[in-house]
Amino acid sequence: MLDYYTDEPEHSQWGEALTACGKTVGVKVEQASVPGASLIPKVLQQASSRTLPDLLMLDNPDLQQIAQTGALTPLEQYGIDSRGYAKGILSAGTYEGKVYGLAPYVSTVALFYNKDMLAEAGVSVPGTWDELKAAAAELTRPGRYGMAVDANATFESAWQFLPFLWSNGGDEKQLDSPQAAQALQLWVDLVKRGSMSKSVLNWTQADVHDQFVAGRTAMMINGPWRIPALNKDKELRWGVASIPVPRAGQTPVTPLGGEVWTVPQSPSTARREKAAQVLACLNEPSSMLALAKQHFTVPSRSTVASRYAEQVPSMAAFVKSVQASRSRTRELGVKWPKAATGMYTAIQSALTGEQTPQEALRRAQRTATSD
């Protein structure tokens, strides 16, 4: 099998899970891991030379591109059960109506906040955009900003912007809509008012985390993979809430992260069937619960996720958000990367003041629809 889990302890944890599932179905699983940026080029090369592995892990936005080449097999032909998954999770592994990949767990983003800073300022956890702006302004002090996001010129900032775009009724198919401009205006306002550092233009999600841990921001947008590091800081009292929405009573719509497991085409029916059995084992409730606890992610089956939220309270906001999460490729499929490029370029232009949100997003729409 092939994945991009090169870091420890993730590589070893997945190796153990694969070994255990291999024993269950009667095979030895050989794990090969390559750096994330190398995975898709390697997969495309292997597809052309017909040397793909028996089992292949893909970041869920990449499934469309690989399935389009004909390199993957539909999972229904192996009798794999795909019931019990939230609609967004299942769509992340679907291409042209057929399920090609299943995710043992998924992730998304939420609002982290410093409990002591909010208490000292007499600020409640914000639930709407207006409350977010007010809280961020109130929490801002010399040497400390109220809010932080990742707005750098990569797909990461598009990922962080999507909850604001989608929750406001915006759509990646129409980036120059009023709803999209309102979402981007929120970020512009936070920077203009001094509630968010202009340095977010260069910060990765890891940098945002570091700012939060150092006490230089009271709130941040980030993912559950930050929780193990946060737990190590015994003096830091933090909480997690759903990302604020435009109006009270709305449900935030967040992007779906995580990897899907697939069975590539190969001449050997027997090997494909064994690979499918390993894939099914990884997606059994007991396996996904154990993996989610190891990696601070959300089990993909809804009933398992509910049980998990009770067992790991710090993950409850993520479990709730995942139920309404969307895959990034749901609307545009293989064209998603162009839209994401337009999006993060617009964020850069608007936050620097080079263009208004409306102007920046008109250019983003042209990028997204260019040949």
Side-chain angles (χ1 to χ4, degrees):
M1 58 74 54
L2 178 65
D3 63 35
Y4 58 38
Y5 300 127
T6 54
D7 294 339
E8 292 292 355
E10 198 171 36
H11 177 80
S12 296
Q13 288 169 342
W14 270 105
E16 291 166 5
L18 288 159
T19 297
C21 281
K23 286 180 179 177
T24 299
V25 304
V27 295
K28 178 184 177 183
V29 181
E30 296 180 359
Q31 181 189 19
S33 301
V34 297
S38 303
L39 182 65
I40 295 305
K42 186 175 182 67
V43 169
L44 292 172
Q45 183 273 323
Q46 289 179 330
S48 66
S49 60
R50 302 192 178 191
T51 55
L52 283 162
D54 301 302
L55 191 62
L56 173 65
M57 179 231 75
L58 295 167
D59 193 12
N60 76 68
D62 294 326
L63 179 129
Q64 302 276 327
Q65 178 189 3
I66 304 305
Q68 186 185 46
T69 69
L72 307 178
T73 58
L75 298 183
E76 63 182 17
Q77 69 186 52
Y78 307 108
I80 293 177
D81 183 10
S82 60
R83 294 173 298 177
Y85 292 80
K87 184 178 178 181
I89 295 174
L90 201 58
S91 73
T94 301
Y95 174 71
E96 292 190 343
K98 292 184 178 181
V99 177
Y100 287 88
L102 285 178
Y105 59 58
V106 293
S107 64
T108 190
V109 285
L111 179 76
F112 288 80
Y113 58 92
N114 185 304
K115 291 183 176 181
D116 292 333
M117 290 179 183
L118 267 67
E120 178 193 9
V123 170
S124 298
V125 179
T128 67
W129 287 5
D130 285 344
E131 291 170 357
L132 175 63
K133 287 191 283 189
E138 194 67 31
L139 290 162
T140 298
R141 302 275 192 280
R144 183 181 89 197
Y145 291 92
M147 179 67 176
V149 299
D150 168 351
N152 73 13
T154 70
F155 288 162
E156 273 192 10
S157 64
W159 155 264
Q160 290 226 333
F161 181 66
L162 283 173
F164 299 91
L165 173 70
W166 286 344
S167 299
N168 198 41
D171 196 300
E172 59 272 34
K173 292 186 296 185
Q174 197 65 46
L175 290 173
D176 54 356
S177 69
Q179 293 89 345
Q182 289 164 2
L184 186 49
Q185 187 66 54
L186 172 68
W187 281 22
V188 170
D189 289 345
L190 287 167
V191 171
K192 276 188 174 179
R193 297 174 185 181
S195 299
M196 193 158 72
S197 172
K198 202 170 183 178
S199 296
V200 298
L201 287 160
N202 302 309
W203 287 348
T204 65
Q205 290 181 128
D207 295 328
V208 170
H209 167 90
D210 291 343
Q211 294 291 317
F212 183 77
V213 170
R216 291 192 287 269
T217 185
M219 299 182 292
M220 69 169 176
I221 303 297
N222 227 315
W225 51 86
R226 297 294 163 200
I227 291 178
L230 292 174
N231 283 338
K232 289 179 182 178
D233 191 333
K234 302 304 179 185
E235 295 183 5
L236 182 64
R237 296 180 65 250
W238 54 275
V240 190
S242 297
I243 291 181
V245 290
R247 292 166 294 282
Q250 291 181 304
T251 298
V253 185
T254 59
L256 198 65
E259 296 80 26
V260 292
W261 291 80
T262 69
V263 178
Q265 292 281 6
S266 74
S268 172
T269 301
R271 292 182 74 94
R272 289 201 307 271
E273 288 177 349
K274 283 295 185 182
Q277 290 173 29
V278 174
L279 186 153
C281 173
L282 293 173
N283 282 274
E284 283 295 317
S286 57
S287 296
M288 60 173 54
L289 184 61
L291 287 164
K293 286 182 176 180
Q294 280 183 324
H295 301 286
F296 282 89
T297 47
V298 178
S300 294
R301 295 184 191 268
S302 299
T303 54
V304 182
S306 297
R307 190 159 76 246
Y308 174 67
E310 295 174 359
Q311 296 174 9
V312 188
S314 62
M315 290 297 298
F318 295 100
V319 170
K320 181 180 178 182
S321 292
V322 156
Q323 294 307 306
S325 290
R326 292 183 195 169
S327 67
R328 284 157 281 177
T329 53
R330 189 186 80 171
E331 300 294 336
L332 297 178
V334 295
K335 296 179 181 177
W336 156 251
K338 288 171 69 176
T341 300
M343 207 178 299
Y344 70 66
T345 303
I347 290 168
Q348 290 272 310
S349 295
L351 264 59
T352 57
E354 176 189 335
Q355 292 180 306
T356 67
Q358 292 84 352
E359 292 168 341
L361 288 165
R362 279 197 291 271
R363 186 170 69 177
Q365 181 65 16
R366 291 195 295 272
T367 299
T369 56
S370 64
D371 292 330

